Amino acid sequence: MGVFFVYILKASVCLALFYLCYRVGLSKETFHRFNRITLLSLMVFSFLLPLVEVTVKDVPEVSQPFLSLEESMQAVVMDSGHDSDEGILFFLLRYVWSMGRMFCLLRTCREEEWEGGITLYVHRKKVAPFSWMKMMVISEEDLAKNGMAILAHERAHILNGHSWDLLLMQVCILLQWFNPAVW
């Protein structure tokens, strides 16, 4: 568990630094597709960068023995593995619970098939419109008032694969729930 925890700590530092650079340099940009690609790339890159091993051929001699950064981290976190397990379990259960609530909501909706394999779910009660994978959910009230604009927006989310972005983000949250940059 110590090696995995050190990896997660390295990835969280990378994510925090990359996100800080994004906030300073690109967060004001209005190119939404570019911002999305940048943020997803930074997230993936922050998990890949700690896997790269840097080796030095000529190691300078040191008179005092010292621990490497990884050995120091492992020594500090040797006993704290249970806390990370509990955090991962909590956020995994939270995600499973929210997915279960969504599917319970879908069972009480009226269904309409749309083109491209998209299913529209219309609920009698007031629910905030959302989409997930190939499903769009809207209340009858919203459908009557601004239905076409809302459905066009949710359809764009589906066509752009934003559900996959959310899934990737949930994996990131599971692994780095302790990292403020992930939120």
Side-chain angles (χ1 to χ4, degrees), residues 20 24 27 34 42 56 64 85 103 123 136 138 145 158:
L20 179 65
V24 169
S27 65
F34 177 74
L42 292 177
V56 179
Q64 284 183 293
D85 291 345
F103 285 114
H123 201 279
M136 294 187 295
I138 191 170
K145 287 182 182 176
I158 290 171

Side-chain angles (χ1 to χ4, degrees), residues 44-153:
V44 169
F45 192 58
S46 70
F47 278 94
L48 294 177
L49 188 61
L51 296 174
V52 174
E53 257 187 64
V54 178
T55 57
V56 179
K57 288 187 178 188
D58 296 328
V59 179
E61 297 224 7
V62 179
S63 59
Q64 284 183 293
F66 66 95
L67 296 175
S68 70
L69 178 61
E70 289 183 22
E71 292 168 337
S72 302
M73 291 170 132
Q74 284 181 354
V76 169
V77 298
M78 212 50 125
D79 296 328
S80 63
H82 298 294
D83 294 339
S84 63
D85 291 345
E86 291 168 4
I88 290 172
L89 182 62
F90 171 78
F91 287 104
L92 180 63
L93 290 174
R94 189 185 97 170
Y95 182 71
V96 169
W97 172 259
S98 68
M99 293 304 288
R101 287 185 56 211
M102 181 185 72
F103 285 114
C104 286
L105 175 80
L106 294 178
R107 287 196 337 231
T108 61
C109 293
R110 180 180 84 235
E111 291 182 40
E112 296 178 21
E113 291 298 319
W114 276 40
E115 71 277 352
I118 296 173
T119 305
L120 173 65
Y121 292 88
V122 182
H123 201 279
R124 284 177 275 114
K125 295 181 180 174
K126 182 74 174 156
V127 294
F130 68 93
S131 58
W132 179 253
M133 296 300 179
K134 295 259 184 181
M135 301 176 284
M136 294 187 295
V137 179
I138 191 170
S139 68
E140 287 180 353
E141 181 183 334
D142 285 338
L143 185 59
K145 287 182 182 176
N146 301 320
M148 287 305 119
I150 294 171
L151 293 177
H153 176 87

Side-chain angles (χ1 to χ4, degrees), residues 35-46:
N35 282 350
R36 175 183 175 219
I37 290 169
T38 301
L39 285 170
L40 290 172
S41 299
L42 292 177
M43 187 172 24
V44 169
F45 192 58
S46 70

Side-chain angles (χ1 to χ4, degrees), residues 36 131 133 151-163:
R36 175 183 175 219
S131 58
M133 296 300 179
L151 293 177
H153 176 87
E154 295 304 332
R155 187 170 181 270
H157 280 289
I158 290 171
L159 295 177
N160 288 320
H162 288 184
S163 297

